[in-house]
Amino acid sequence: MKSNNKNVNIKLRRHGQTYDEFEVPFEEGMNILSALQYIYENLDRTIAYPVCLCRMGKCGACIMQVNGKSQLGCAVRLAADKLYVIETIGNKEVIKDLITK
Amino acid sequence: MKNYNHLITDVLVIGSGGAGMRAAISAHDDGANVMILSKGRLGVSGSTVTACADVSVDSNSITKLLGFNGDIEDSKEQFAADTIKSGWGLNHKELVDVFADQAPRRVKELIDWGAKVENFAISPGHTYRRAIIIKGNNFAHTLARQIRLRPTIQVLEGVIALDIIVKDRCATGVYAVNIMNGEFTTISAKSIIIATGGAMNVFPVTTAPNDLMGDGMAMAYRAGAKMVDMEFQTFLMGCCSPSSLIGNNYPFVLMCRAGAHLYNREGERFMEKWDPERREKSTRDKIAVASTLEILEGRGGRNGGVWVSVRHIPKNLFEYYTEWYEGKKTGFDEKDFLPDLMQDGIESMPSAHFWNGGIKIDTDCSTGIEGLFAAGECAGGIHGANRLSGNAMSEILVTGNIAGHSAARTAASAQVTTPSKEEEYAYYKKLEDMFCGNGSEDPVVLKKQLQKTAWETIGPVREQKELERAIRICDEVENKIPHLCCHGDRVYNKEWIDAMSLANMCDIIRITAAAAAHRKESRSSHYRKDYNKPNDSMFCNITVEKSNGQLKMSNCSVSTQKVQGVQQI
């Protein structure tokens, strides 16, 4: 269900350092994981987020900081034309992007 | 020549879901050194944690062994009989007897370890009230706690096994990759237990977590093990829109619990044609076939599905129906992503839910390859053509326990064998070469092509020419694997992980398509458009194995498990 010309902006922290910003076409009812999948498939194959995901709020693997708040990526509904800053939670050592030790 | 990492253990368990954890516990308690490989993290990856989750044992044992309020009219024999009825008689009967006999003790043990029983229910297909409701995450966390109480069990997280190393039909270890740092690790083991679950992610839409790719089944097949009942997959109605809910089973739950209706694009409740009495409460198999035919014949929506609707239900009644469901969730609510259900339907399609067949095992979970055992969903036999509700969760405890004991026994008298440096180098070189920049094939494009092919050919509706096309496409994709091109470095590289899963996907789809092409009839979840009735002459199990590089199929009679005839393709 693509809504014409609307986007969401994802600002992803890379390797615990700089941020990369991606523009993802907005779709009604999308979540952080759908946006990350779009980026991985279409914009940047090197982004890292967990391979094992239940996508339904049960496994907890997609816990991340979204606009400063710890949340499950699967549980965050995205709004059109908004910016989402995504990074790892806490002080865990970052292996790559959203992957921690 | 490069140096790779080397590890040695007695018993190696591949997979850290319920079956793998249960197996590790038994092998450890028998005195073996145990190592568990997990693609993700222990206790939270695999499908156990997501189960909804009824755990079935006979109702007599619920009263007499577990001390709850069951029905003493029931018996283990009746439970086994219901399991076989649900499996269309194709179940491995001795395995079912072992399962029905041991399930109560295994579930009691889990409860003694702290698993929380929420409730009891009677599930479809059961003569008595046998469903013990234990939440999947509680089930998995209980087992994970038992693993942590045994600190000598080594848990390797973020490690993917790639292939089993076989010498003279004996499993001696695995080639593996640590995805956290991209390093190759060769693990030598005296015995190996495969507990990697089903292969539902060969389909584009599945209720299962992303991890379940069929790695273990494909590895066992390449190692020479027989596969059985691979033509039987269970599909149930899951969302095909929005992207956040793809494969989510909420529509199925609404049909079972809230009396949701199912419509095609013409507004017809098409289940009336297929099952006038039960309609949307018909079996999962019938609903999957009917919905797929509606979609294929052009009566689906723009996202490729049909509509599940609760609009006929008063709002305040609907809220009552779904109360129990929301109560199970933490922070995640399907309704946050869906339109107002009092107005709109949910576009839904049959989603791959369970792999009924798998690696052929005997009652000791052995596979016919010395030192190789299988447990849980990746093993075939207990469920026959269709699993009875709630049997998945009790089965992982029973087969996990048996496989753990068997593997420890084998390990006690086996020697460690390591591959030569040349063999090792040859194996890892082709994976390193995926980065060399000479290739032009895109792993993501190929993965999507395979998933699309799987849906079109080995989905709920099948026919000869499409099944042959599936095999052709798998051969084509396999030929492209040496020419893959991945980007970036090897540290947690998703593209490379996708690239390394392609060989497994090709094997799983090819085995399934071959078995489905061989079964020229319709039975349970295996529906052939060109042979749409059951045929008594096909009342047998089909096994598939790799023999001299070729896929070899055999018909095994159900009662004796004896080989009847062999077909090479």
Side-chain angles (χ1 to χ4, degrees):
Chain A
M1 224 194 299
K2 296 244 157 47
S3 314
N4 281 344
N5 302 325
K6 285 185 181 165
N7 292 310
V8 287
N9 292 295
I10 302 288
K11 198 168 162 183
L12 175 68
R13 190 161 195 187
R14 308 302 299 265
H15 316 334
Q17 295 163 11
T18 53
Y19 290 88
D20 277 350
E21 201 167 322
F22 301 97
E23 203 171 68
V24 176
F26 176 73
E27 176 207 336
E28 204 60 63
M30 73 193 294
N31 61 4
I32 297 273
L33 296 186
S34 6
L36 288 173
Q37 189 175 347
Y38 182 89
I39 297 168
Y40 166 61
E41 288 177 358
N42 301 287
L43 306 175
D44 185 346
R45 290 291 173 81
T46 69
I47 69 160
Y49 63 99
V51 173
C52 298
L53 294 168
C54 77
R55 315 184 306 275
M56 56 199 289
K58 290 186 178 176
C59 75
C62 63
I63 185 87
M64 56 181 79
Q65 200 161 290
V66 182
N67 292 341
K69 198 175 150 198
S70 284
Q71 278 171 297
L72 292 178
C74 65
V76 180
R77 182 182 172 134
L78 305 187
D81 302 323
K82 271 197 130 180
L83 173 71
Y84 296 87
V85 182
I86 302 175
E87 51 210 316
T88 55
I89 53 159
N91 303 318
K92 284 185 178 176
E93 188 186 328
V94 178
I95 287 178
K96 194 179 197 176
D97 304 345
L98 295 174
I99 306 296
T100 55
K101 256 204 170 148
Chain B
M1 225 170 277
K2 290 198 178 177
N3 279 322
Y4 304 106
N5 297 317
H6 292 92
L7 297 168
I8 295 177
T9 184
D10 291 342
V11 175
L12 177 69
V13 180
I14 308 173
S16 67
M21 289 193 284
R22 188 62 194 81
I25 292 165
S26 288
H28 166 275
D29 292 356
D30 283 354
N33 286 316
V34 180
M35 184 185 286
I36 305 179
L37 300 191
S38 175
K39 241 187 204 182
R41 293 194 199 269
L42 186 85
V44 292
S45 48
S47 59
T48 306
V49 70
T50 69
C52 218
D54 43 334
V55 184
S56 292
V57 303
D58 70 274
S59 202
N60 184 301
S61 297
I62 290 180
T63 308
K64 289 191 176 158
L65 185 71
L66 304 183
F68 295 104
N69 190 15
D71 192 333
I72 52 162
E73 299 286 301
D74 195 12
S75 64
K76 288 176 174 176
E77 290 72 26
Q78 185 60 49
F79 179 35
D82 285 355
T83 298
I84 290 168
K85 190 177 168 205
S86 175
W88 289 59
L90 292 185
N91 318 57
H92 184 315
K93 294 190 176 52
E94 288 160 359
L95 257 179
V96 173
D97 288 342
V98 168
F99 159 66
D101 181 49
Q102 298 187 8
R105 267 176 286 157
R106 294 286 81 80
V107 174
K108 178 171 191 314
E109 186 178 66
L110 191 78
I111 295 168
D112 290 345
W113 286 340
K116 188 171 167 240
V117 176
E118 306 272 330
N119 208 343
F120 296 89
I122 180 159
S123 295
H126 288 274
T127 316
Y128 294 96
R129 209 166 69 119
R130 301 193 183 114
I132 304 168
I133 310 293
I134 299 172
K135 286 179 191 170
N137 51 10
N138 180 254
F139 191 112
H141 295 166
T142 302
L143 289 170
R145 196 163 50 239
Q146 289 299 315
I147 298 289
R148 292 193 190 100
L149 287 171
R150 292 163 173 80
T152 56
I153 297 179
Q154 288 187 71
V155 182
L156 270 55
E157 295 183 321
V159 175
I160 300 182
L162 302 164
D163 256 304
I164 297 162
I165 306 168
V166 185
K167 291 263 186 290
D168 306 323
R169 278 187 79 77
C170 178
T172 62
V174 297
Y175 294 121
V177 61
N178 181 341
I179 56 175
M180 306 300 265
N181 57 20
E183 286 178 8
F184 295 117
T185 303
T186 303
I187 305 168
S188 299
K190 294 175 181 170
S191 58
I192 299 171
I193 299 167
I194 301 183
T196 51
M200 283 71 77
N201 281 281
V202 304
F203 292 99
V205 180
T206 169
T207 63
N210 296 11
D211 353 350
L212 280 86
M213 238 339 161
D215 313 7
M217 286 193 264
M219 280 188 270
Y221 167 74
R222 289 195 293 270
K226 276 187 182 162
M227 313 298 290
V228 69
D229 300 333
M230 286 290 280
E231 65 277 32
F232 298 110
Q233 288 76 27
T234 300
F235 294 84
L236 53 79
M237 296 307 277
C239 302
C240 52
S241 169
S243 58
S244 54
L245 294 183
I246 287 178
N248 189 294
N249 72 350
Y250 195 58
F252 169 75
V253 173
L254 293 181
M255 285 161 65
C256 293
R257 307 274 173 161
H261 290 170
L262 199 45
Y263 295 98
N264 63 17
R265 195 163 69 193
E266 281 151 24
E268 283 174 310
R269 274 180 76 186
F270 57 88
M271 282 312 295
E272 283 173 354
K273 291 183 287 195
W274 287 79
D275 192 342
E277 254 177 53
R278 289 181 295 180
R279 294 179 290 197
E280 289 84 359
K281 299 232 159 126
S282 183
T283 61
R284 297 181 291 202
D285 297 345
K286 262 194 191 169
I287 292 170
V289 171
S291 305
T292 306
L293 286 173
E294 292 295 326
I295 295 162
L296 290 177
E297 288 166 11
R299 291 186 293 279
R302 82 167 61 89
N303 296 299
V306 286
W307 288 264
V308 170
S309 167
V310 292
R311 227 187 129 188
H312 59 286
I313 302 167
K315 188 165 184 274
N316 51 1
L317 178 58
F318 176 65
E319 281 161 4
Y320 168 76
Y321 274 137
T322 52
E323 224 169 38
W324 70 274
Y325 191 70
E326 264 84 56
K328 292 186 163 200
K329 299 300 173 81
T330 45
F332 180 83
D333 186 346
E334 282 82 357
K335 291 211 294 305
D336 288 346
F337 301 95
L338 290 167
D340 178 5
L341 296 182
M342 291 298 114
Q343 297 296 326
D344 291 323
I346 309 172
E347 214 178 315
S348 310
M349 66 187 274
S351 312
H353 179 64
F354 191 79
W355 212 271
N356 292 290
I359 305 161
K360 187 167 164 49
I361 55 166
D362 214 328
T363 48
D364 59 354
C365 292
S366 61
T367 63
I369 302 297
E370 184 68 26
L372 187 65
F373 303 86
E377 191 178 358
C378 66
I382 288 184
H383 311 300
N386 179 43
R387 171 175 60 77
L388 186 61
S389 177
N391 280 12
M393 298 299 274
S394 35
E395 187 247 319
I396 59 178
L397 296 174
V398 172
T399 55
N401 172 58
I402 295 172
H405 288 307
S406 297
R409 198 162 46 239
T410 299
S413 60
Q415 302 294 318
V416 171
T417 317
T418 49
S420 72
K421 280 204 167 336
E422 289 74 22
E423 288 169 309
E424 208 177 33
Y425 176 75
Y427 187 84
Y428 292 131
K429 172 114 184 21
K430 55 186 204 285
L431 302 174
E432 283 178 286
D433 283 351
M434 291 175 174
F435 285 101
C436 73
N438 297 332
S440 57
E441 297 293 343
D442 183 335
V444 174
V445 168
L446 294 182
K447 182 180 173 183
K448 284 184 173 269
Q449 185 192 359
L450 286 173
Q451 287 177 325
K452 179 170 179 281
T453 303
W455 165 248
E456 290 167 351
T457 59
I458 58 169
V461 174
R462 300 159 176 188
E463 60 182 312
Q464 191 67 26
K465 65 175 192 327
E466 286 290 281
L467 293 166
E468 287 168 5
R469 182 168 71 89
I471 294 170
R472 252 189 344 264
I473 289 175
C474 289
D475 292 345
E476 281 167 25
V477 170
E478 203 168 58
N479 289 331
K480 290 178 180 172
I481 291 176
H483 311 291
L484 287 167
C485 177
C486 299
H487 302 85
D489 60 31
R490 275 163 39 181
V491 176
Y492 214 96
N493 187 309
K494 280 177 79 72
E495 197 179 33
W496 193 39
I497 296 165
D498 276 342
M500 290 187 284
S501 71
L502 292 174
N504 295 334
M505 294 178 75
C506 287
D507 275 329
I508 297 291
I509 297 170
R510 191 162 33 209
I511 296 164
T512 305
H518 188 64
R519 187 173 284 287
K520 291 187 172 43
E521 62 155 358
S522 291
R523 184 183 295 273
S524 180
S525 57
H526 167 73
Y527 177 83
R528 291 275 307 243
K529 219 170 153 182
D530 42 359
Y531 300 92
N532 65 4
K533 295 270 176 328
N535 177 344
D536 286 346
S537 72
M538 284 308 292
F539 183 69
C540 63
N541 297 105
I542 297 170
T543 63
V544 182
E545 68 188 299
K546 195 169 187 175
S547 173
N548 299 321
Q550 298 288 310
L551 188 152
K552 189 176 99 182
M553 268 183 298
S554 313
N555 293 355
C556 295
S557 90
V558 172
S559 51
T560 63
Q561 301 284 320
K562 229 165 86 187
V563 178
Q564 284 175 338
V566 171
Q567 186 198 340
Q568 302 258 3
I569 66 158

